[in-house]
Amino acid sequence: MDSHALDIVDGKSTLRQRQFQSDDATPQTDKTEESSRPLDYKDNPEENRKDLIEDPKTFGRTPDGTAFLVPQTHDMVSQLLSPSQPKNLSDILVLAILGLLILLFLVLPSSARKPVFAMVFLFWRACYNGGIGYLLHIQSYHRRLVRWAKRSQIFEDPAAGQNPHPRLYDLIKRELETKIPKDYKFDEAPIEYNTWLVFRRLVDLILMCDFVSYCLFAVACGKQPSQENLLITLTRWAAGLALVGFNVWVKLDAHRVVKDFAWYWGDFFYLIDQELTFDGVFEMAPHPMYSVGYAGYYGISLMAASYSVLFTSLLAHAAQFAFLYFVEDPHIEKTYNPPPTRTRPTTPPHDQFGSAEEDNDDGEDDQKSHTSEVTQPPTDLQPWPVHDLIGLRSTDLRRVTDVAVILLQLYMLTITVSTPSTPFYQALFVLHAFAWRLWLSVGLGWVLYRQSHLKAWTRHFVKYGESTGEAWRQWKGVYHLTLTMCYASFLAASFKMYSFPDDWRSNMALLKHVVGLMLVALQVWTAVSIYTSLGEFGWFFGDFFFDTSPKLTFGGIYRYLNNPERVLGLAGVWGAVLITRSSAIFALALFSHVVTLWFIDYIERPHMQKLYGQQLRREAGLVRSLKRSLPPPLQQFQGRVDRVLGETVDFVEDFIDSARPKFAAGVELLVKDTKTLFQKHPARLILTRLPPDLAGFDPRDYSLEVSGTALDGPSKLDGKMQDSQSIPLERRSGFAALTFEYGIPIKVAWTAPLRHGARDWVGLYKVASNYSRQLTGASSAGRWIGTNEGAYDVAGATDGLVASNVRVSGAERKDGRERDYVRGEMVFAGDKLWWTQGVFEFRYHHDGKYCVMAISRPFEIRVPRFDVDDVELDSEGRITGAVEKALLSLVQNCLNRNPEIAPATVDEAYGSLIERNGQYAKRIVYAVHQM
């Protein structure tokens, strides 16, 4: 089940709307798209919108531009259980499996129900988050489900003689047309839509079995605590039923908004031309299907009075968040938030990536005119977002602030561990935490107050000749150090006041620990969300220091809450109160909350009102949703309702968002570091035997020839490869070193027998990476290209393939053989290159395996050295022009010579895509270092 509510403006979104091409846009196809459109589908966007208002029909669009009418479908519960809905074989199969689960529960002895259904639920949960997640991942990045459908031809009419599975075709057609009797014809629907319909039947099976097995597991674990009185029992059941009821409302309201299209992840297969309004539950919480939509799990845990059910619910909820993080969020970002198209102020030259010499042939006057057009950074308005403070990746041991923070944390850790937990030291640590909280909220609050009214902090640095930017950097360091020490001292005090409970089941000790950790995770998630929405500028109160032309955007967590710091920002300190069960920590938490509210109301809010004025909104999405849900009689007493909501909104915010615990603060950084580690050290697959299908293939019929713009100058290969045993004897005397410039596309020409493997591929490797010349043991890490179009289901497998399977007569062969052969050509560029210096080779592999049929001559990739002694000075005796000329070509290579991001001249800015991908900066930094 899906929730894709992003980028909402005034309650409406174009999330599901496929953008229409403008009249002057170049069409993708000339006849295919026109022939595939319905008769009432118009090219005029205004007429289309009018038709969509008058006619509730929805139009879909496949990735190739094919438009089609999307039939109306129904949710899984009504399809399976409603007598008015038609049933088919797949429905009967799902109901039969559910019946078997219930029957298994009834026949098993009571002692076996709990472990058996725990395993059954974990199996179906793995199928949900792991199985469906994997299928959606490969569909999002490689469109592999649709490619499988095309390759198997299961949707092709057997009458055409191309479908090898006519019975399967008849079964699928009957199943789908039975479920959708109106506006749907199996043979006329696009293959993407048919694939989605088959996929959703699998989803129905997994989700229904997941839910039923969880309920059966909860029933198996349910019990009545022996020492529980009637009042607690009634309260527990009332709270559990309320959470389950709220869960049901969330699911129903979410389905009302997103319909079956988003419920079954339809945008992984096609998009729809329709504007959707994301209201209701989507204004109350982020990703409500995965956050508050799991409140029922905790309600069932309450009614079952079982820690086993509670921990299982937590595990399932964490798995759902992992599914959101690794599967849905990347697809949403890729599909709905692409980088904007680059716009250039002037028309670029015909060869915008020509040589540096050609770019500078226009003379000194032209060079000066270009220089005058450079946009200077607005140093007096807002700082550039460079050298951030927050996050492990931003830690710089050459920066005073980072060194001070690390040393102070080590100091706190040492003192905390080395001192005893006596009453004297406990009081000392609690007072220490009080002092840091007082300095953070009141001390720095007073500094910001004077900065807002008098610019006192900035004026102090300007008085001594420093800039506003330096004042800003010093403030960031002070605030960052104070914030870290405030929470470090609070953790130290909590550690001193904590003691392990004697009995984890008495006084709800275990439950308090679980809820406390959930509150800590909630505060961590809130802090990460606030930083993601505001950035370093907002996190460190940048609008107190820089006079900008502000425009508020209510995105991220601020779409739902105006001030998430009020409650959610301190949820973790109350979690520590539950865990430690200490009155001193309670007093510290209460003091922290009071001074934080004082800071928000008397320091931050007045400055925001002065700076943003009418841009500040009175109600966030959560408050609007609550007001709309009130009955009409209460809505007439708006003022009284506002007062009630003003007193209760903080509690409601905590209640709504407490069901969305996140992983610890370092999870995101850990995942990124892990990905980087795997990219640097890819796994190796060693093949120890040759496949039998190599019989009849002669390696002499294969060859690889490397070509491209060679780099002048000495090479590592000079004088070293002449006597190499890896070069045939007849070629050693004619060997010449081949060197390419760093980042230059490399062209590879290959030859192969007429009946070579359809899944043959060519990979790029370092010469020293493989010990065998018959088998490749190192991973290509994505640096490979297939020799035949359509042979692989992986997206980008044939990116760079220029020509393939061009037949050549055997009379043209130079090796004395007379058999005909085929040749092809491919270009390795961008991510398919090694972005480092070294000696490399290409390897031709047989039929999707690692058996080597041919190896190219070795070649070197090198960054051209910049020698100041060899540079010609300009008329003013400077080397600026030579440096710009050398760097321009290098930067263009590092940016894949992509006109959307690479500058055409030394004065042109970079494209926006470079900000989203850190690999470009790494390439440039490495290359400049090697120059």
Side-chain angles (χ1 to χ4, degrees):
M1 286 162 284
D2 193 15
S3 61
H4 288 165
L6 293 179
D7 300 334
I8 311 301
V9 180
D10 297 331
K12 291 192 175 182
S13 171
T14 57
L15 185 61
R16 305 295 173 197
Q17 182 181 3
R18 190 74 159 180
Q19 298 296 327
F20 295 94
Q21 288 184 334
S22 58
D23 294 335
D24 57 348
T26 304
Q28 295 179 351
T29 57
D30 51 357
K31 296 182 180 180
T32 305
E33 183 174 345
E34 294 296 331
S35 61
S36 61
R37 291 181 177 175
L39 296 177
D40 57 347
Y41 196 88
K42 305 175 180 62
D43 290 329
N44 191 325
E46 295 300 329
E47 295 182 7
N48 257 324
R49 295 188 180 95
K50 184 183 297 183
D51 291 344
L52 288 175
I53 295 175
E54 297 175 354
D55 190 349
K57 294 181 179 179
T58 301
F59 292 97
R61 190 178 294 272
T62 62
D64 62 359
T66 302
F68 65 98
L69 179 65
V70 179
Q72 182 180 3
T73 56
H74 301 278
D75 62 275
M76 75 173 87
V77 178
S78 61
Q79 283 183 343
L80 290 174
L81 304 180
S82 176
S84 62
Q85 295 295 327
K87 301 295 185 291
N88 56 15
L89 182 60
S90 59
D91 292 331
I92 297 174
L93 177 62
V94 173
L95 293 174
I97 295 177
L98 297 180
L100 289 175
L101 290 176
I102 298 175
L103 180 62
L104 177 63
F105 178 83
L106 295 176
V107 300
L108 281 175
S110 300
S111 59
R113 289 175 180 175
K114 183 176 178 180
V116 169
F117 275 92
M119 297 303 298
V120 171
F121 170 69
L122 292 178
F123 167 77
W124 287 112
R125 176 55 53 165
C127 291
Y128 181 4
N129 298 129
I132 295 178
Y134 172 75
L135 293 178
L136 290 176
H137 176 79
I138 62 176
Q139 172 63 20
S140 174
Y141 285 90
H142 309 298
R143 310 202 64 79
R144 191 170 293 176
L145 298 184
V146 175
R147 295 190 183 200
W148 283 346
K150 290 180 179 179
R151 176 175 297 180
S152 62
Q153 299 178 333
I154 57 175
F155 297 139
E156 299 289 339
D157 192 345
Q162 297 181 352
N163 191 334
H165 311 287
R167 293 184 179 179
L168 181 60
Y169 169 86
D170 294 336
L171 174 63
I172 296 176
K173 180 179 180 181
R174 182 172 61 254
E175 290 286 307
L176 298 184
E177 290 186 344
T178 301
K179 299 300 295 183
I180 314 176
K182 184 180 178 181
D183 295 334
Y184 174 72
K185 293 183 179 180
F186 179 78
D187 296 325
E188 297 179 3
I191 189 173
E192 289 83 0
Y193 186 74
N194 285 336
T195 306
W196 175 68
L197 290 179
V198 174
F199 169 76
R200 63 175 285 171
R201 301 308 294 161
L202 174 64
V203 172
D204 286 342
L205 171 64
I206 294 176
L207 294 190
M208 291 300 296
C209 291
D210 174 80
F211 176 72
V212 171
S213 60
Y214 174 81
C215 292
L216 294 176
F217 172 70
V219 173
C221 295
K223 61 182 179 180
Q224 175 68 31
S226 58
Q227 300 180 353
E228 186 177 81
N229 56 43
L230 180 60
L231 179 60
I232 295 180
T233 301
L234 293 178
T235 304
R236 177 167 56 82
W237 275 86
L241 291 174
L243 288 175
V244 171
F246 175 74
N247 196 155
V248 172
W249 174 79
V250 169
K251 300 292 186 182
L252 294 177
D253 196 61
H255 188 271
R256 173 189 64 83
V257 175
V258 302
K259 305 296 188 300
D260 279 2
F261 172 75
W263 190 279
Y264 288 100
W265 302 282
D267 54 1
F268 282 74
F269 298 84
Y270 65 95
L271 296 178
I272 62 173
D273 294 332
Q274 180 180 350
E275 292 185 359
L276 298 183
T277 301
F278 286 89
D279 55 4
V281 69
F282 284 94
E283 286 189 327
M284 299 181 68
H287 298 289
M289 298 296 294
Y290 297 156
S291 54
V292 295
Y294 271 71
Y297 271 39
Y298 303 102
I300 294 175
S301 301
L302 272 177
M303 292 185 289
S306 170
Y307 284 112
S308 299
V309 180
L310 176 60
F311 289 131
T312 303
S313 301
L314 289 172
L315 179 62
H317 206 171
Q320 198 65 27
F321 280 128
F323 175 87
L324 172 68
Y325 181 84
F326 290 107
V327 179
E328 284 207 26
D329 280 349
H331 177 77
I332 293 172
E333 185 70 19
K334 179 170 67 75
T335 305
Y336 300 113
N337 297 316
T341 304
R342 184 176 186 179
T343 56
R344 298 177 182 273
T346 57
T347 304
H350 177 69
D351 184 10
Q352 60 181 3
F353 293 125
S355 64
E357 295 180 1
E358 296 173 352
D359 292 339
N360 289 274
D361 285 343
D362 296 334
E364 184 178 355
D365 294 338
D366 183 64
Q367 192 175 37
K368 291 181 180 180
S369 65
H370 280 294
T371 306
S372 64
E373 297 175 1
V374 179
T375 303
Q376 299 297 331
T379 54
D380 295 334
L381 297 180
Q382 186 169 332
W384 285 104
V386 295
H387 215 186
D388 294 338
L389 277 174
I390 305 299
L392 294 178
R393 289 182 177 274
S394 302
T395 302
D396 187 351
L397 296 181
R398 297 174 179 84
R399 185 166 47 188
V400 174
T401 301
D402 293 342
V403 174
V405 167
I406 294 175
L407 291 179
L408 285 174
Q409 301 306 310
L410 293 176
Y411 145 77
M412 282 298 304
L413 179 62
T414 304
I415 298 297
T416 304
V417 174
S418 60
T419 55
S421 297
T422 60
F424 171 77
Y425 281 103
Q426 288 177 339
L428 187 63
F429 274 86
V430 171
L431 291 176
H432 185 236
F434 266 103
W436 276 109
R437 174 61 67 174
L438 184 66
W439 168 243
L440 174 65
S441 298
V442 179
L444 295 188
W446 176 250
V447 172
L448 286 178
Y449 176 83
R450 289 177 53 80
Q451 174 67 17
S452 175
H453 290 80
L454 304 174
K455 297 293 181 182
W457 183 275
T458 303
R459 291 161 69 105
H460 171 79
F461 285 89
V462 173
K463 180 176 66 175
Y464 290 100
E466 302 288 351
S467 63
T468 304
E470 179 61 23
W472 161 250
R473 285 188 291 271
Q474 294 297 332
W475 159 256
K476 285 172 57 178
V478 171
Y479 183 82
H480 180 59
L481 187 145
T482 303
L483 184 65
T484 54
M485 283 303 300
C486 177
Y487 280 99
S489 61
F490 182 86
L491 289 175
S494 301
F495 178 81
K496 285 298 181 183
M497 301 302 300
Y498 177 77
S499 61
F500 282 97
D502 298 329
D503 185 3
W504 285 90
R505 294 187 177 272
S506 64
N507 297 323
M508 296 185 292
L510 182 58
L511 180 61
K512 291 178 180 178
H513 279 71
V514 172
V515 176
L517 291 176
M518 292 175 65
L519 291 176
V520 172
L522 177 61
Q523 178 172 342
V524 170
W525 171 80
T526 303
V528 173
S529 300
I530 292 174
Y531 179 77
T532 303
S533 300
L534 301 181
E536 293 252 335
F537 185 80
W539 181 268
F540 290 105
F541 307 96
D543 47 15
F544 281 77
F545 295 84
F546 295 92
D547 296 328
T548 62
S549 298
K551 182 179 179 181
L552 289 177
T553 56
F554 299 99
I557 193 173
Y558 289 94
R559 180 190 166 203
Y560 315 99
L561 305 170
N562 279 340
N563 291 109
E565 306 94 335
R566 281 186 172 272
V567 176
L568 303 185
L570 291 171
V573 300
W574 294 107
V577 172
L578 287 176
I579 294 174
T580 58
R581 309 174 306 282
S582 169
S583 58
I585 300 301
F586 173 82
L588 179 57
L590 182 62
F591 175 77
S592 301
H593 214 143
V594 169
V595 295
T596 300
L597 293 179
W598 175 86
F599 178 86
I600 293 174
D601 290 335
Y602 293 97
I603 302 299
E604 187 174 357
R605 177 177 291 176
H607 180 79
M608 297 283 288
Q609 291 175 344
K610 180 181 69 173
L611 188 63
Y612 296 101
Q614 297 298 324
Q615 295 186 38
L616 292 176
R617 64 180 181 182
R618 297 180 58 187
E619 299 174 350
L622 176 62
V623 177
R624 289 198 303 266
S625 299
L626 292 176
K627 286 188 175 183
R628 282 198 297 263
S629 63
L630 292 174
L634 291 179
Q635 294 181 5
Q636 298 176 2
F637 303 95
Q638 187 65 49
R640 190 173 303 173
V641 171
D642 287 341
R643 287 194 297 271
V644 174
L645 289 177
E647 297 173 357
T648 60
V649 66
D650 293 341
F651 169 77
V652 175
E653 288 175 355
D654 186 24
F655 171 75
I656 294 297
D657 284 57
S658 63
R660 197 192 192 287
K662 274 277 192 179
F663 298 110
V667 166
E668 182 178 357
L669 297 173
L670 178 62
V671 171
K672 291 181 179 180
D673 292 342
T674 305
K675 289 181 179 179
T676 304
L677 181 63
F678 280 120
Q679 290 174 358
K680 292 183 177 180
H681 307 283
R684 296 190 174 189
L685 177 63
I686 306 297
L687 300 179
T688 57
R689 65 169 65 181
L690 296 178
D693 56 353
L694 275 180
F697 291 97
D698 190 347
R700 292 179 297 176
D701 293 332
Y702 297 82
S703 67
L704 290 172
E705 184 177 350
V706 182
S707 60
T709 304
L711 184 66
D712 297 332
S715 170
K716 292 182 180 180
L717 301 176
D718 291 335
K720 295 183 179 181
M721 301 297 293
Q722 292 289 346
D723 298 328
S724 175
Q725 297 299 323
S726 62
I727 302 177
L729 180 62
E730 61 274 12
R731 292 175 51 191
R732 292 180 192 171
S733 59
F735 178 82
L738 184 60
T739 304
F740 295 107
E741 185 179 346
Y742 179 81
I744 284 289
I746 302 176
K747 185 184 298 183
V748 181
W750 56 269
T751 63
L754 294 178
R755 296 183 179 180
H756 69 98
R759 294 167 57 85
D760 287 2
W761 59 282
V762 178
L764 175 60
Y765 300 90
K766 288 185 176 181
V767 169
S769 297
N770 296 285
Y771 298 100
S772 172
R773 298 187 65 79
Q774 288 74 38
L775 294 174
T776 296
S779 170
S780 63
R783 304 178 185 93
W784 64 278
I785 300 176
T787 60
N788 292 286
E789 192 76 38
Y792 286 90
D793 296 326
V794 181
T798 54
D799 291 350
L801 185 63
V802 179
S804 177
N805 293 331
V806 179
R807 184 160 183 160
V808 180
S809 173
E812 301 181 12
R813 301 185 64 152
K814 300 179 181 180
D815 56 358
R817 305 168 68 88
E818 298 180 355
R819 287 185 297 182
D820 292 354
Y821 64 97
V822 294
R823 62 177 177 83
E825 189 174 285
M826 56 185 64
V827 176
F828 282 74
D831 294 336
K832 295 186 182 294
L833 291 174
W834 282 86
W835 291 96
T836 183
Q837 297 188 119
V839 181
F840 304 90
E841 65 185 6
F842 289 100
R843 290 183 167 222
Y844 188 108
H845 301 85
H846 172 69
D847 203 24
K849 301 179 178 62
Y850 286 81
C851 301
V852 180
M853 308 305 293
I855 300 178
S856 72
R857 59 186 290 191
F859 58 91
E860 182 186 2
I861 294 179
R862 181 159 50 91
V863 178
R865 299 287 296 177
F866 184 82
D867 194 346
V868 179
D869 297 334
D870 297 336
V871 172
E872 296 182 3
L873 304 180
D874 57 16
S875 58
E876 298 180 3
R878 298 180 302 180
I879 63 171
T880 305
V883 173
E884 292 177 346
K885 183 191 304 183
L887 286 178
L888 177 61
S889 176
L890 185 68
V891 169
Q892 290 174 346
N893 290 343
C894 294
L895 300 182
N896 299 342
R897 294 184 167 260
N898 183 355
E900 289 295 326
I901 56 176
T905 65
V906 296
D907 300 321
E908 189 175 22
Y910 297 101
S912 60
L913 182 61
I914 194 174
E915 301 174 358
R916 298 193 176 194
N917 199 333
Q919 65 177 352
Y920 298 122
K922 294 178 181 178
R923 296 175 185 176
I924 296 174
V925 170
Y926 172 81
V928 172
H929 178 71
Q930 298 299 321
M931 291 182 67

